[in-house]
Amino acid sequence: MATKEQQDTDPFVATESLRSALAGVGIVLPSLGVDPASPALNLVELGRVRADVAARLAEELQRGGRG
């Protein structure tokens, strides 16, 4: 069962917020978008990325996004 916070989070807003945050550290997830197959779940599809992008994302997360 989804929590109140999960139900209230707009997946389109969340997607754009994530896209903007990633762009701020020079990372682009080309397949990032709202999952249209599950509107009740408010899922965001992160998609597929090249290995170098995944490694860069991991580095940024480990540093706390302070590039």
Side-chain angles (χ1 to χ4, degrees):
M1 184 175 201
T3 67
K4 178 83 169 124
E5 183 177 326
Q6 289 169 329
Q7 293 170 343
D8 290 343
T9 302
D10 182 321
F12 293 96
V13 172
T15 298
E16 289 311 310
S17 177
L18 179 57
R19 186 184 319 277
S20 176
L22 290 170
V25 292
I27 296 174
V28 175
L29 299 181
S31 302
L32 180 63
V34 174
D35 180 2
S38 58
L41 296 176
N42 292 337
L43 297 179
V44 174
E45 178 68 41
L46 300 180
R48 297 166 40 168
V49 298
R50 294 185 325 258
D52 63 307
V53 175
R56 175 80 195 289
L57 179 56
E59 289 172 12
E60 289 296 333
L61 289 170
Q62 290 167 350
R63 284 199 306 235
R66 297 182 227 35

